[in-house]
Amino acid sequence: EVQLVESGGGLIQPGGSLRLSCAASGFTVSSNYMSWVRQAPGKGLEWVSVIYSGGSTYYADSVKGRFTISRDNSKNTLYLQMNSLRAEDTAVYYCARVTIFGVLVWGQGTLVTVSS
Amino acid sequence: NFMLTQPHSVSESPGKTVTISCTRSSGSIASNYVQWYQQRPGSSPTTVIYEDNQRPSGVPDRFSGSIDSSSNSASLTISGLKTEDEADYYCQSYDSSNRKWVFGGGTKLTVL
């Protein structure tokens, strides 16, 4: 069974850093496209980033230069390194197994709260 | 760049059929596949339609997707409505010009 389990969320002060993890099972992360999608409280879905199986990465303008998507093939885990965090980055962050076009499987999400 | 516009809310009675639209602001709706996601209150999203009209395994055939080039829009149709269908529904497509994804604002479906 395909499963994605996110972790690493929490309360962080503005300007701080946080790394989210997404442990995958039932498939190989490195052979698939993987994405992060976020949802601010009471708001809609927002695409954050994608990493292709070949290693290419792409980011939403709102996070480019501050966030980095990566993976650890030995741990079959996806990451999102988030630096220079802002209040507007407060959201539930979902990890997803995707195609180039959209999401196939969603994780359960992890909440990131940026506040002093 | 383009936007996807959805109605804020729709409502219908159990057993009836409802259609949720998703209109693309520029460029052809047919140029890239459209996906539809369901998000029940307090839950993570799930995919109900991918690649315009494909249903993942486990999604009932009451859910169907289509695109209409004349109105430059995609539609999600749910027939035989059940109270469990009450949720937020989001459309999404890929922008091949910049390799980014675009989400619609979401539609709240009320089944009453």
Side-chain angles (χ1 to χ4, degrees), chain A residues 35 37 39 43-47 50 52 58-61 94 98-109, chain B residues 1 32-33 35 37 39 43-47 50-51 56 88 90 92-94 98-105:
Chain A
S35 267
V37 176
Q39 186 172 36
K43 302 296 184 183
L45 300 172
E46 179 188 16
W47 175 75
V50 64
Y52 290 174
Y58 299 91
Y59 299 90
D61 292 343
Y94 296 102
V98 305
T99 70
I100 194 171
F101 300 116
V103 177
L104 295 175
V105 180
W106 297 78
Q108 89 288 350
Chain B
N1 292 4
N32 286 107
Y33 289 127
Q35 283 60 235
Y37 308 112
Q39 187 175 34
S43 297
S44 58
T46 62
T47 302
Y50 68 98
E51 294 180 3
D88 293 324
Y90 296 90
Q92 172 265 318
S93 190
Y94 171 65
N98 56 19
R99 305 197 186 203
K100 298 177 180 178
W101 290 2
V102 179
F103 280 93

Short mmCIF file of all heavy atoms in Angstrom, two decimals, chain A residues 35 37 39 43-47 50 52 58-61 94 98-109, chain B residues 1 32-33 35 37 39 43-47 50-51 56 88 90 92-94 98-105:
data_model
loop_
_atom_site.label_atom_id
_atom_site.label_comp_id
_atom_site.label_asym_id
_atom_site.label_seq_id
_atom_site.Cartn_x
_atom_site.Cartn_y
_atom_site.Cartn_z
N SER A 35 5.90 16.12 -4.73
CA SER A 35 5.60 17.53 -4.53
C SER A 35 5.24 17.86 -3.10
O SER A 35 4.93 16.97 -2.31
CB SER A 35 4.41 17.95 -5.42
OG SER A 35 4.81 18.46 -6.65
N VAL A 37 2.49 20.57 -1.27
CA VAL A 37 1.35 21.46 -1.46
C VAL A 37 0.94 21.95 -0.08
O VAL A 37 0.94 21.16 0.87
CB VAL A 37 0.16 20.73 -2.13
CG1 VAL A 37 -1.06 21.64 -2.23
CG2 VAL A 37 0.56 20.22 -3.52
N GLN A 39 -1.66 24.50 2.58
CA GLN A 39 -3.01 25.07 2.75
C GLN A 39 -3.01 25.93 4.01
O GLN A 39 -2.93 25.40 5.13
CB GLN A 39 -4.05 23.97 2.85
CG GLN A 39 -5.49 24.46 2.90
CD GLN A 39 -6.48 23.32 2.79
OE1 GLN A 39 -6.25 22.22 3.30
NE2 GLN A 39 -7.60 23.57 2.12
N LYS A 43 -8.05 28.50 4.04
CA LYS A 43 -7.80 28.89 2.65
C LYS A 43 -7.73 27.67 1.73
O LYS A 43 -7.88 26.54 2.16
CB LYS A 43 -6.50 29.69 2.55
CG LYS A 43 -6.49 30.94 3.41
CD LYS A 43 -7.53 31.95 3.00
CE LYS A 43 -7.43 33.23 3.82
NZ LYS A 43 -8.50 34.20 3.46
N GLY A 44 -7.48 27.94 0.45
CA GLY A 44 -7.40 26.87 -0.52
C GLY A 44 -6.02 26.26 -0.63
O GLY A 44 -5.11 26.58 0.14
N LEU A 45 -5.87 25.37 -1.59
CA LEU A 45 -4.61 24.67 -1.80
C LEU A 45 -3.66 25.52 -2.62
O LEU A 45 -4.07 26.22 -3.55
CB LEU A 45 -4.87 23.34 -2.52
CG LEU A 45 -5.79 22.36 -1.80
CD1 LEU A 45 -6.12 21.17 -2.69
CD2 LEU A 45 -5.16 21.89 -0.50
N GLU A 46 -2.36 25.45 -2.28
CA GLU A 46 -1.32 26.19 -3.00
C GLU A 46 -0.14 25.26 -3.28
O GLU A 46 0.44 24.70 -2.35
CB GLU A 46 -0.85 27.39 -2.20
CG GLU A 46 0.25 28.19 -2.90
CD GLU A 46 0.87 29.28 -2.02
OE1 GLU A 46 0.68 29.26 -0.79
OE2 GLU A 46 1.55 30.15 -2.59
N TRP A 47 0.22 25.11 -4.53
CA TRP A 47 1.39 24.33 -4.88
C TRP A 47 2.66 25.03 -4.41
O TRP A 47 2.79 26.25 -4.55
CB TRP A 47 1.43 24.12 -6.39
CG TRP A 47 2.67 23.43 -6.87
CD1 TRP A 47 2.97 22.11 -6.76
CD2 TRP A 47 3.78 24.03 -7.53
NE1 TRP A 47 4.20 21.85 -7.32
CE2 TRP A 47 4.72 23.02 -7.79
CE3 TRP A 47 4.09 25.35 -7.92
CZ2 TRP A 47 5.92 23.26 -8.43
CZ3 TRP A 47 5.28 25.59 -8.56
CH2 TRP A 47 6.19 24.55 -8.82
N VAL A 50 8.13 20.94 -6.61
CA VAL A 50 8.15 19.59 -7.17
C VAL A 50 9.59 19.18 -7.41
O VAL A 50 10.44 20.03 -7.71
CB VAL A 50 7.34 19.51 -8.48
CG1 VAL A 50 7.95 20.38 -9.57
CG2 VAL A 50 7.20 18.07 -8.96
N TYR A 52 11.47 16.22 -9.77
CA TYR A 52 11.27 15.17 -10.77
C TYR A 52 12.17 13.96 -10.45
O TYR A 52 13.16 14.09 -9.71
CB TYR A 52 11.60 15.68 -12.16
CG TYR A 52 10.63 16.70 -12.72
CD1 TYR A 52 10.90 17.34 -13.93
CD2 TYR A 52 9.46 17.03 -12.07
CE1 TYR A 52 10.02 18.27 -14.48
CE2 TYR A 52 8.57 17.96 -12.60
CZ TYR A 52 8.86 18.57 -13.81
OH TYR A 52 7.98 19.49 -14.34
N TYR A 58 11.44 22.58 -9.07
CA TYR A 58 10.73 23.80 -9.42
C TYR A 58 9.97 24.28 -8.19
O TYR A 58 9.56 23.48 -7.35
CB TYR A 58 9.78 23.56 -10.60
CG TYR A 58 10.51 23.11 -11.84
CD1 TYR A 58 10.70 21.76 -12.09
CD2 TYR A 58 11.07 24.03 -12.72
CE1 TYR A 58 11.40 21.33 -13.21
CE2 TYR A 58 11.77 23.62 -13.84
CZ TYR A 58 11.94 22.27 -14.07
OH TYR A 58 12.65 21.84 -15.17
N TYR A 59 9.82 25.64 -8.12
CA TYR A 59 9.22 26.24 -6.93
C TYR A 59 8.18 27.29 -7.31
O TYR A 59 8.28 27.95 -8.34
CB TYR A 59 10.30 26.91 -6.09
CG TYR A 59 11.37 25.96 -5.59
CD1 TYR A 59 12.51 25.71 -6.34
CD2 TYR A 59 11.21 25.29 -4.38
CE1 TYR A 59 13.48 24.82 -5.90
CE2 TYR A 59 12.18 24.40 -3.93
CZ TYR A 59 13.30 24.17 -4.70
OH TYR A 59 14.25 23.29 -4.26
N ALA A 60 7.21 27.48 -6.41
CA ALA A 60 6.30 28.59 -6.53
C ALA A 60 7.07 29.88 -6.27
O ALA A 60 8.04 29.90 -5.50
CB ALA A 60 5.16 28.45 -5.52
N ASP A 61 6.65 30.96 -6.91
CA ASP A 61 7.34 32.24 -6.73
C ASP A 61 7.37 32.66 -5.27
O ASP A 61 8.33 33.31 -4.83
CB ASP A 61 6.65 33.33 -7.56
CG ASP A 61 6.81 33.12 -9.05
OD1 ASP A 61 7.70 32.33 -9.45
OD2 ASP A 61 6.05 33.72 -9.83
N TYR A 94 1.35 19.43 2.81
CA TYR A 94 1.08 18.07 2.36
C TYR A 94 2.19 17.61 1.42
O TYR A 94 2.57 18.34 0.49
CB TYR A 94 -0.24 18.00 1.61
CG TYR A 94 -1.46 18.33 2.43
CD1 TYR A 94 -2.09 19.57 2.33
CD2 TYR A 94 -2.01 17.39 3.31
CE1 TYR A 94 -3.23 19.87 3.07
CE2 TYR A 94 -3.14 17.68 4.05
CZ TYR A 94 -3.73 18.92 3.93
OH TYR A 94 -4.87 19.21 4.67
N VAL A 98 3.20 12.42 -7.27
CA VAL A 98 2.52 13.14 -8.34
C VAL A 98 2.97 12.65 -9.70
O VAL A 98 3.93 11.89 -9.83
CB VAL A 98 2.80 14.66 -8.23
CG1 VAL A 98 2.43 15.18 -6.85
CG2 VAL A 98 4.25 15.00 -8.54
N THR A 99 2.25 13.10 -10.73
CA THR A 99 2.75 13.06 -12.09
C THR A 99 3.10 14.50 -12.44
O THR A 99 2.89 15.39 -11.61
CB THR A 99 1.69 12.56 -13.08
OG1 THR A 99 0.66 13.57 -13.21
CG2 THR A 99 1.07 11.25 -12.61
N ILE A 100 3.58 14.75 -13.62
CA ILE A 100 3.89 16.12 -14.00
C ILE A 100 2.63 16.98 -13.96
O ILE A 100 2.68 18.20 -13.78
CB ILE A 100 4.57 16.18 -15.38
CG1 ILE A 100 5.21 17.55 -15.64
CG2 ILE A 100 3.58 15.80 -16.47
CD1 ILE A 100 6.07 17.59 -16.89
N PHE A 101 1.48 16.34 -14.09
CA PHE A 101 0.22 17.07 -14.21
C PHE A 101 -0.49 17.32 -12.87
O PHE A 101 -1.16 18.34 -12.72
CB PHE A 101 -0.73 16.31 -15.14
CG PHE A 101 -0.19 16.14 -16.52
CD1 PHE A 101 0.08 14.88 -17.02
CD2 PHE A 101 0.06 17.24 -17.31
CE1 PHE A 101 0.59 14.71 -18.29
CE2 PHE A 101 0.57 17.09 -18.60
CZ PHE A 101 0.84 15.83 -19.08
N GLY A 102 -0.37 16.39 -11.91
CA GLY A 102 -1.09 16.56 -10.67
C GLY A 102 -0.86 15.45 -9.68
O GLY A 102 -0.04 14.56 -9.89
N VAL A 103 -1.62 15.52 -8.58
CA VAL A 103 -1.40 14.60 -7.45
C VAL A 103 -2.09 13.26 -7.67
O VAL A 103 -3.25 13.21 -8.09
CB VAL A 103 -1.92 15.23 -6.14
CG1 VAL A 103 -1.75 14.25 -4.99
CG2 VAL A 103 -1.19 16.52 -5.84
N LEU A 104 -1.37 12.20 -7.34
CA LEU A 104 -1.95 10.88 -7.33
C LEU A 104 -2.30 10.45 -5.90
O LEU A 104 -3.38 9.93 -5.65
CB LEU A 104 -0.98 9.86 -7.94
CG LEU A 104 -0.65 10.04 -9.42
CD1 LEU A 104 0.41 9.03 -9.85
CD2 LEU A 104 -1.90 9.88 -10.26
N VAL A 105 -1.36 10.69 -4.98
CA VAL A 105 -1.54 10.28 -3.59
C VAL A 105 -1.11 11.41 -2.67
O VAL A 105 -0.04 11.99 -2.88
CB VAL A 105 -0.72 9.01 -3.27
CG1 VAL A 105 -0.92 8.59 -1.82
CG2 VAL A 105 -1.09 7.88 -4.21
N TRP A 106 -1.93 11.68 -1.66
CA TRP A 106 -1.65 12.74 -0.69
C TRP A 106 -1.23 12.15 0.67
O TRP A 106 -1.72 11.09 1.06
CB TRP A 106 -2.91 13.57 -0.44
CG TRP A 106 -3.45 14.31 -1.62
CD1 TRP A 106 -4.19 13.81 -2.64
CD2 TRP A 106 -3.30 15.71 -1.88
NE1 TRP A 106 -4.52 14.81 -3.53
CE2 TRP A 106 -3.99 15.99 -3.08
CE3 TRP A 106 -2.67 16.77 -1.22
CZ2 TRP A 106 -4.05 17.27 -3.64
CZ3 TRP A 106 -2.73 18.04 -1.77
CH2 TRP A 106 -3.42 18.28 -2.97
N GLY A 107 -0.38 12.88 1.37
CA GLY A 107 -0.09 12.54 2.75
C GLY A 107 -1.15 13.16 3.66
O GLY A 107 -2.09 13.80 3.19
N GLN A 108 -0.97 12.98 4.95
CA GLN A 108 -1.97 13.48 5.90
C GLN A 108 -1.69 14.92 6.32
O GLN A 108 -2.57 15.57 6.91
CB GLN A 108 -2.05 12.56 7.14
CG GLN A 108 -1.11 12.91 8.28
CD GLN A 108 0.35 12.58 7.98
OE1 GLN A 108 0.68 11.93 7.00
NE2 GLN A 108 1.24 13.04 8.85
N GLY A 109 -0.49 15.42 6.04
CA GLY A 109 -0.16 16.82 6.31
C GLY A 109 0.50 17.05 7.66
O GLY A 109 0.33 16.27 8.60
N ASN B 1 0.98 32.79 -17.81
CA ASN B 1 0.30 32.38 -16.58
C ASN B 1 -1.20 32.44 -16.77
O ASN B 1 -1.72 33.29 -17.51
CB ASN B 1 0.67 33.29 -15.42
CG ASN B 1 2.12 33.12 -15.01
OD1 ASN B 1 2.87 32.39 -15.65
ND2 ASN B 1 2.52 33.79 -13.96
N ASN B 32 -3.41 21.20 -21.18
CA ASN B 32 -2.85 20.38 -20.11
C ASN B 32 -3.99 19.76 -19.31
O ASN B 32 -5.05 20.37 -19.14
CB ASN B 32 -1.95 21.19 -19.18
CG ASN B 32 -0.63 21.51 -19.84
OD1 ASN B 32 -0.37 22.63 -20.23
ND2 ASN B 32 0.22 20.51 -19.99
N TYR B 33 -3.72 18.58 -18.79
CA TYR B 33 -4.74 17.85 -18.05
C TYR B 33 -5.23 18.62 -16.82
O TYR B 33 -4.48 19.36 -16.18
CB TYR B 33 -4.21 16.50 -17.60
CG TYR B 33 -4.01 15.49 -18.70
CD1 TYR B 33 -2.78 14.85 -18.86
CD2 TYR B 33 -5.03 15.15 -19.56
CE1 TYR B 33 -2.58 13.91 -19.86
CE2 TYR B 33 -4.85 14.20 -20.56
CZ TYR B 33 -3.62 13.60 -20.70
OH TYR B 33 -3.44 12.66 -21.69
N GLN B 35 -7.04 18.10 -13.02
CA GLN B 35 -7.30 17.17 -11.91
C GLN B 35 -8.36 17.78 -10.98
O GLN B 35 -8.53 19.01 -10.94
CB GLN B 35 -6.02 16.96 -11.09
CG GLN B 35 -4.99 16.03 -11.70
CD GLN B 35 -4.48 16.52 -13.06
OE1 GLN B 35 -4.55 15.79 -14.05
NE2 GLN B 35 -3.96 17.76 -13.13
N TYR B 37 -9.78 17.44 -6.87
CA TYR B 37 -9.49 16.92 -5.53
C TYR B 37 -10.68 17.19 -4.62
O TYR B 37 -11.29 18.26 -4.67
CB TYR B 37 -8.23 17.57 -4.97
CG TYR B 37 -7.05 17.48 -5.91
CD1 TYR B 37 -6.53 18.61 -6.51
CD2 TYR B 37 -6.46 16.24 -6.20
CE1 TYR B 37 -5.45 18.52 -7.38
CE2 TYR B 37 -5.39 16.16 -7.08
CZ TYR B 37 -4.89 17.30 -7.66
OH TYR B 37 -3.84 17.21 -8.54
N GLN B 39 -11.86 17.42 -0.60
CA GLN B 39 -11.36 17.59 0.76
C GLN B 39 -12.53 17.70 1.71
O GLN B 39 -13.22 18.73 1.77
CB GLN B 39 -10.45 18.81 0.90
CG GLN B 39 -9.79 18.91 2.27
CD GLN B 39 -8.81 20.05 2.37
OE1 GLN B 39 -8.99 21.10 1.77
NE2 GLN B 39 -7.75 19.85 3.15
N SER B 43 -10.02 16.79 6.94
CA SER B 43 -9.24 15.72 6.33
C SER B 43 -8.29 16.27 5.27
O SER B 43 -8.46 17.39 4.79
CB SER B 43 -10.16 14.69 5.69
OG SER B 43 -10.98 14.07 6.65
N SER B 44 -7.32 15.46 4.90
CA SER B 44 -6.44 15.84 3.79
C SER B 44 -7.17 15.62 2.47
O SER B 44 -8.14 14.86 2.42
CB SER B 44 -5.14 15.03 3.85
OG SER B 44 -5.41 13.65 3.79
N PRO B 45 -6.73 16.28 1.41
CA PRO B 45 -7.39 16.09 0.11
C PRO B 45 -7.20 14.66 -0.40
O PRO B 45 -6.26 13.96 -0.01
CB PRO B 45 -6.66 17.08 -0.80
CG PRO B 45 -5.98 18.04 0.11
CD PRO B 45 -5.66 17.27 1.34
N THR B 46 -8.09 14.26 -1.30
CA THR B 46 -7.93 13.02 -2.06
C THR B 46 -8.21 13.34 -3.53
O THR B 46 -8.93 14.30 -3.83
CB THR B 46 -8.88 11.92 -1.58
OG1 THR B 46 -10.24 12.35 -1.79
CG2 THR B 46 -8.68 11.60 -0.12
N THR B 47 -7.63 12.56 -4.40
CA THR B 47 -7.82 12.76 -5.84
C THR B 47 -9.04 11.99 -6.30
O THR B 47 -9.12 10.77 -6.09
CB THR B 47 -6.57 12.30 -6.60
OG1 THR B 47 -5.43 13.04 -6.12
CG2 THR B 47 -6.72 12.55 -8.10
N TYR B 50 -8.23 12.47 -12.34
CA TYR B 50 -6.94 12.92 -12.86
C TYR B 50 -6.97 12.84 -14.38
O TYR B 50 -7.79 12.12 -14.95
CB TYR B 50 -5.78 12.12 -12.25
CG TYR B 50 -5.74 10.66 -12.67
CD1 TYR B 50 -4.90 10.24 -13.71
CD2 TYR B 50 -6.51 9.69 -12.03
CE1 TYR B 50 -4.85 8.92 -14.10
CE2 TYR B 50 -6.46 8.37 -12.41
CZ TYR B 50 -5.62 7.98 -13.44
OH TYR B 50 -5.57 6.65 -13.83
N GLU B 51 -6.11 13.60 -15.00
CA GLU B 51 -6.01 13.63 -16.47
C GLU B 51 -7.37 13.80 -17.11
O GLU B 51 -7.78 13.01 -17.98
CB GLU B 51 -5.28 12.38 -16.96
CG GLU B 51 -3.82 12.36 -16.51
CD GLU B 51 -3.05 11.15 -16.97
OE1 GLU B 51 -3.60 10.30 -17.70
OE2 GLU B 51 -1.86 11.04 -16.59
N PRO B 56 -9.25 7.44 -10.10
CA PRO B 56 -8.37 6.51 -9.39
C PRO B 56 -9.17 5.32 -8.89
O PRO B 56 -10.40 5.42 -8.70
CB PRO B 56 -7.85 7.35 -8.22
CG PRO B 56 -8.07 8.77 -8.62
CD PRO B 56 -9.29 8.75 -9.47
N ASP B 88 -15.17 20.23 0.11
CA ASP B 88 -14.60 21.23 -0.80
C ASP B 88 -13.96 20.49 -1.97
O ASP B 88 -13.30 19.47 -1.78
CB ASP B 88 -13.54 22.07 -0.09
CG ASP B 88 -14.12 22.95 1.00
OD1 ASP B 88 -15.25 23.45 0.81
OD2 ASP B 88 -13.45 23.15 2.03
N TYR B 90 -11.51 21.03 -5.44
CA TYR B 90 -10.53 21.90 -6.08
C TYR B 90 -10.16 21.33 -7.45
O TYR B 90 -9.88 20.14 -7.58
CB TYR B 90 -9.25 22.01 -5.25
CG TYR B 90 -9.43 22.65 -3.91
CD1 TYR B 90 -9.75 21.88 -2.79
CD2 TYR B 90 -9.26 24.03 -3.75
CE1 TYR B 90 -9.90 22.48 -1.55
CE2 TYR B 90 -9.42 24.62 -2.50
CZ TYR B 90 -9.74 23.84 -1.41
OH TYR B 90 -9.89 24.43 -0.17
N GLN B 92 -7.30 21.68 -10.64
CA GLN B 92 -5.88 22.01 -10.72
C GLN B 92 -5.37 21.63 -12.10
O GLN B 92 -5.79 20.62 -12.67
CB GLN B 92 -5.11 21.27 -9.63
CG GLN B 92 -3.59 21.37 -9.70
CD GLN B 92 -2.97 20.19 -10.42
OE1 GLN B 92 -3.36 19.05 -10.21
NE2 GLN B 92 -1.99 20.44 -11.27
N SER B 93 -4.45 22.44 -12.63
CA SER B 93 -3.84 22.12 -13.91
C SER B 93 -2.38 22.53 -13.90
O SER B 93 -1.91 23.20 -12.97
CB SER B 93 -4.59 22.81 -15.06
OG SER B 93 -4.14 22.31 -16.30
N TYR B 94 -1.67 22.09 -14.91
CA TYR B 94 -0.22 22.31 -15.04
C TYR B 94 0.03 23.43 -16.04
O TYR B 94 -0.59 23.47 -17.10
CB TYR B 94 0.41 21.00 -15.50
CG TYR B 94 1.87 21.05 -15.89
CD1 TYR B 94 2.85 21.35 -14.96
CD2 TYR B 94 2.26 20.76 -17.19
CE1 TYR B 94 4.19 21.37 -15.32
CE2 TYR B 94 3.59 20.77 -17.56
CZ TYR B 94 4.56 21.08 -16.62
OH TYR B 94 5.88 21.09 -16.98
N ASN B 98 5.89 27.48 -17.44
CA ASN B 98 6.83 27.70 -16.33
C ASN B 98 6.95 26.50 -15.41
O ASN B 98 7.60 26.58 -14.37
CB ASN B 98 6.42 28.93 -15.51
CG ASN B 98 5.00 28.82 -15.00
OD1 ASN B 98 4.43 27.73 -14.93
ND2 ASN B 98 4.41 29.95 -14.64
N ARG B 99 6.35 25.38 -15.81
CA ARG B 99 6.44 24.11 -15.07
C ARG B 99 5.89 24.24 -13.66
O ARG B 99 6.44 23.65 -12.73
CB ARG B 99 7.87 23.58 -15.07
CG ARG B 99 8.44 23.43 -16.47
CD ARG B 99 9.63 22.55 -16.51
NE ARG B 99 10.23 22.54 -17.84
CZ ARG B 99 11.00 21.58 -18.30
NH1 ARG B 99 11.26 20.53 -17.54
NH2 ARG B 99 11.51 21.65 -19.51
N LYS B 100 4.83 25.00 -13.50
CA LYS B 100 4.21 25.18 -12.19
C LYS B 100 2.77 24.70 -12.24
O LYS B 100 2.20 24.51 -13.30
CB LYS B 100 4.28 26.65 -11.76
CG LYS B 100 5.70 27.15 -11.61
CD LYS B 100 5.76 28.62 -11.26
CE LYS B 100 7.22 29.07 -11.13
NZ LYS B 100 7.33 30.52 -10.82
N TRP B 101 2.21 24.49 -11.09
CA TRP B 101 0.82 24.08 -10.99
C TRP B 101 -0.06 25.26 -10.60
O TRP B 101 0.38 26.16 -9.89
CB TRP B 101 0.63 23.00 -9.92
CG TRP B 101 1.20 21.67 -10.25
CD1 TRP B 101 1.88 21.31 -11.37
CD2 TRP B 101 1.12 20.50 -9.44
NE1 TRP B 101 2.23 19.99 -11.30
CE2 TRP B 101 1.77 19.46 -10.13
CE3 TRP B 101 0.55 20.23 -8.19
CZ2 TRP B 101 1.88 18.18 -9.61
CZ3 TRP B 101 0.66 18.95 -7.68
CH2 TRP B 101 1.32 17.94 -8.39
N VAL B 102 -1.31 25.20 -11.07
CA VAL B 102 -2.30 26.21 -10.73
C VAL B 102 -3.51 25.52 -10.13
O VAL B 102 -4.03 24.55 -10.70
CB VAL B 102 -2.73 27.01 -11.98
CG1 VAL B 102 -3.79 28.04 -11.62
CG2 VAL B 102 -1.52 27.69 -12.62
N PHE B 103 -3.97 26.01 -8.98
CA PHE B 103 -5.17 25.49 -8.34
C PHE B 103 -6.31 26.49 -8.50
O PHE B 103 -6.09 27.72 -8.45
CB PHE B 103 -4.95 25.28 -6.84
CG PHE B 103 -4.22 24.02 -6.48
CD1 PHE B 103 -2.84 24.03 -6.31
CD2 PHE B 103 -4.90 22.83 -6.29
CE1 PHE B 103 -2.16 22.87 -5.96
CE2 PHE B 103 -4.24 21.67 -5.94
CZ PHE B 103 -2.86 21.68 -5.79
N GLY B 104 -7.51 25.97 -8.64
CA GLY B 104 -8.69 26.80 -8.51
C GLY B 104 -8.92 27.15 -7.05
O GLY B 104 -8.31 26.54 -6.16
N GLY B 105 -9.78 28.11 -6.79
CA GLY B 105 -10.01 28.57 -5.43
C GLY B 105 -10.83 27.63 -4.56
O GLY B 105 -10.90 27.81 -3.35
#
